[in-house]
Amino acid sequence: MATPDLVTMDKIVSLSKRRGFIFRSSEIYGGIGSSYDYGHYGVLLKNNVKAEWWRSLLRERDDVVALDSAIIQHPRTWEASGHIAGFTDPLVDCRTCKLRYRADKLEDGQCGEKPSKRPGEGPNCDLTEARNFNLMFQTTVGPVQDEGSTVFLRPETAQGIFLNFKHYLQFARKKPPFGIAQVGKSFRNEITPGNFVFRMREFEQMEMEFFVPPAEADKWYDFWKQARFDWYVKLGIRPDHLRLRPHDADELSHYSSATSDVEYLYPIGWQELEGIANRGDFDLSQHAEYSRQNLEYVDTASGERYLPYVIEPAAGADRATLAFLCDAYDEDEIEGETRTVLRLHPALAPVKAAVLPLVKKDGQPEVAREIVAALRERLQVEYDEGGAIGRRYRRQDEIGTPWSITVDHQSLDDRTVTVRDRDSLQQDRVAIDALPDELERRLRAPWRSPKGS
Ligand code: ATP
């Protein structure tokens, strides 16, 4: 059983807005459905999520290489990949309330007239037959709009990787098993976006295609399922809020022989955070056929040639950021006041340390500035001298800053400061000159959520 949580999506939305993590896009015009902007701390947090993803693949391994492919690709890409024919969701309209729903997710919808009922269950519901709706955004390139100018905004980053597979065989000096990883925006004209950044029409993916000899596909599928699950645990998600769920046969995509989702227990229930699929040689063989290029790998030593199979861990940077925010959100009581605190893994925290002079005089701001200058070479730090110290601590707690460094009158005598821990609230005195090393040591130490599991 998972630990009961006090976090709700409303609390996350409100904290995100209050502290400038994430807010509705185009608010001065009344907002636009399901588009969100990331503010300062949101950018820092999501960048850290992406950086940890890159680190786990590029720095900690030597069999994965990076790519940043274009969003607008040759339109044939989407014929070959099956997206033009098959990247659809079933759509139903209600003739009474004129709302639209995904026919396969009616249980998540609300009747337009009676919100307590599901679509189709209200007394006046009159749903149409389901029809398929293609989720790709279509646009045109060049000044003349004719048939040849239609292009699509990519609905996934994966295809850009397959289009470049041949290049990588030539210049990356890699042979299967090896992976190509990419992070970037994808676009889907979702019928029912919602739940904050969980389902948007414009979102960021973190995908890796791992090319393997066909006989090794099962082994690598198991490997990546576990490795991706462990990545979230290592970054502090409570294991009882995470699970791996294998797809049933009728859920599998047309290209996949096996898929498992890493699911997180969001405030809206268990939902997909990331999918790990065994795509076989579907993509490479489709692109080989449509492009008339040979995309086989040829082993120069043995002469063996084959189309590699592909294991794909496909994660969402926004869904991951949302999961980290939900898992970190906590409230406790300090001196009779409720405190909101984000218990983020220090590696993910937008700001690692806040430097706070106790008072705005007596040489304390100068010492604090000196500390900021020394720390900023290694860590994201913030200087704050405004208002009561307790209030400044709360502000840092709300954005998840793990350590607050306070300069007080003693600091000017003995060049020490206090380091306050966000979670334990313990304050240690540390020599100013030892601070950079001490904070880096703490940052690298293994970390578990104090919310318990
Ligand atoms: P779902 O079933 O929730 O629509 P999916 O199975 O279509 O998701 P994939 O195609 O496997 O999603 O995409 C990989 C990852 O990209 C997902 O696990 C998710 O983290 C992210 N993702 C997909 N669609 C969206 C979206 N509309 N908004 C935000 N993230 C998304």
Side-chain angles (χ1 to χ4, degrees):
M1 272 291 286
T3 332
D5 258 333
L6 41 80
V7 61
T8 60
M9 202 61 106
D10 284 348
K11 287 184 179 181
I12 295 294
V13 172
S14 132
L15 173 73
S16 296
K17 184 169 180 191
R18 192 166 71 244
R19 286 300 176 212
F21 280 86
I22 308 171
F23 29 80
R24 271 200 327 161
S25 176
S26 324
E27 214 153 47
I28 61 166
Y29 289 106
I32 172 163
S34 102
S35 277
Y36 289 91
D37 296 341
Y38 281 73
H40 179 66
Y41 295 123
V43 171
L44 291 171
L45 172 61
K46 186 153 71 139
N47 274 349
N48 290 340
V49 171
K50 292 184 283 186
E52 288 302 319
W53 187 84
W54 281 122
R55 174 207 298 279
S56 71
L57 297 176
L58 298 186
R59 197 180 303 172
E60 291 172 8
R61 306 182 62 89
D62 51 20
D63 54 2
V64 179
V65 285
L67 170 71
D68 187 357
S69 72
I71 285 173
I72 295 175
Q73 291 161 189
H74 195 288
R76 291 276 280 168
T77 308
W78 309 109
E79 284 175 43
S81 66
H83 281 80
I84 289 186
F87 193 56
T88 54
D89 275 340
L91 167 99
V92 291
D93 290 295
C94 177
R95 295 188 188 91
T96 312
C97 69
K98 311 289 180 224
L99 288 182
R100 289 212 150 134
Y101 305 100
R102 247 174 89 168
D104 59 337
K105 300 253 174 186
L106 286 180
E107 67 280 7
D108 297 340
Q110 285 179 332
C111 163
E113 280 192 341
K114 275 197 169 289
S116 60
K117 300 267 182 206
R118 305 247 159 84
E121 291 176 359
N124 300 318
C125 290
D126 184 10
L127 300 186
T128 59
E129 286 291 303
R131 61 203 156 89
N132 280 334
F133 170 77
N134 196 297
L135 300 183
M136 282 198 293
F137 279 99
Q138 198 171 313
T139 186
T140 49
V141 283
V144 185
Q145 292 193 15
D146 57 25
E147 219 181 281
S149 62
T150 300
V151 292
F152 301 93
L153 302 188
R154 67 177 178 204
E156 61 177 31
T157 59
Q159 297 302 323
I161 297 178
F162 299 122
L163 301 194
N164 283 292
F165 175 67
K166 208 172 167 161
H167 281 142
Y168 279 75
L169 287 183
Q170 284 155 4
F171 72 72
R173 297 173 59 232
K174 292 284 178 214
K175 55 186 239 177
F178 80 97
I180 305 176
Q182 150 149 262
V183 172
K185 282 252 163 125
S186 292
F187 302 82
R188 296 182 187 179
N189 205 355
E190 299 274 4
I191 297 167
T192 44
N195 289 317
F196 200 32
V197 296
F198 180 82
R199 189 178 302 284
M200 298 185 286
R201 297 199 168 100
E202 175 185 339
F203 55 96
E204 249 183 311
Q205 290 188 304
M206 310 186 287
E207 296 194 298
M208 200 249 306
E209 308 303 317
F210 199 75
F211 300 92
V212 301
E216 293 179 23
D218 290 344
K219 180 183 96 181
W220 283 107
Y221 173 62
D222 289 341
F223 173 85
W224 283 111
K225 269 193 315 197
Q226 196 57 44
R228 293 303 307 146
F229 184 91
D230 293 347
W231 183 81
Y232 293 100
V233 175
K234 189 172 163 207
L235 287 172
I237 298 253
R238 291 160 297 164
D240 66 354
H241 279 62
L242 268 185
R243 70 181 185 196
L244 263 172
R245 189 184 66 80
H247 280 204
D248 296 332
D250 60 351
E251 272 182 280
L252 289 176
S253 315
H254 56 285
Y255 53 74
S256 172
S257 64
T259 298
S260 287
D261 288 343
V262 179
E263 293 188 333
Y264 176 69
L265 186 53
Y266 289 95
I268 50 172
W270 287 103
Q271 297 284 344
E272 172 179 341
L273 185 52
E274 164 159 0
I276 298 101
N278 178 352
R279 299 177 75 119
D281 64 2
F282 175 80
D283 305 274
L284 287 180
S285 63
Q286 287 290 104
H287 287 302
E289 185 188 329
Y290 278 70
S291 67
R292 294 171 202 273
Q293 302 267 330
N294 186 349
L295 299 182
E296 284 175 319
Y297 166 72
V298 183
D299 189 316
T300 39
S302 68
E304 189 193 6
R305 52 171 63 226
Y306 61 88
L307 273 183
Y309 275 25
V310 173
I311 308 303
E312 174 196 75
D318 308 279
R319 276 192 200 176
T321 301
L322 181 60
F324 287 119
L325 276 174
C326 293
D327 216 67
Y329 185 96
D330 205 2
E331 288 168 7
D332 59 7
E333 207 170 281
I334 302 183
E335 290 155 13
E337 257 187 63
T338 304
R339 160 178 92 137
T340 302
V341 51
L342 283 184
R343 303 192 190 279
L344 287 164
H345 188 299
L348 296 180
V351 175
K352 311 301 180 207
V355 185
L356 318 168
L358 191 60
V359 292
K360 226 191 308 183
K361 54 182 186 182
D362 301 339
Q364 290 183 19
E366 288 75 13
V367 175
R369 292 269 184 208
E370 180 201 323
I371 295 172
V372 167
L375 288 180
R376 92 161 13 129
E377 287 177 19
R378 306 211 212 164
L379 309 160
Q380 189 73 31
V381 286
E382 197 170 273
Y383 175 78
D384 185 6
E385 60 176 22
I389 190 75
R391 190 166 292 196
R392 281 181 275 161
Y393 285 149
R394 294 304 170 274
R395 211 183 138 264
Q396 296 299 331
D397 291 339
E398 276 204 332
I399 61 166
T401 305
W403 303 293
S404 290
I405 294 156
T406 308
V407 176
D408 54 18
H409 60 273
Q410 190 182 328
S411 310
L412 282 104
D413 294 339
D414 65 3
R415 287 191 61 79
T416 64
V417 285
T418 59
V419 178
R420 170 189 180 268
D421 184 280
R422 173 196 73 198
D423 298 322
S424 68
L425 298 175
Q426 192 177 315
Q427 307 218 12
D428 300 325
R429 265 209 108 85
V430 176
I432 289 175
D433 296 338
L435 266 178
D437 284 348
E438 170 60 15
L439 292 187
E440 275 202 335
R441 185 192 66 73
R442 292 188 185 199
L443 196 57
R444 273 200 295 267
W447 188 89
R448 271 192 72 186
S449 171
K451 283 174 79 178
S453 189

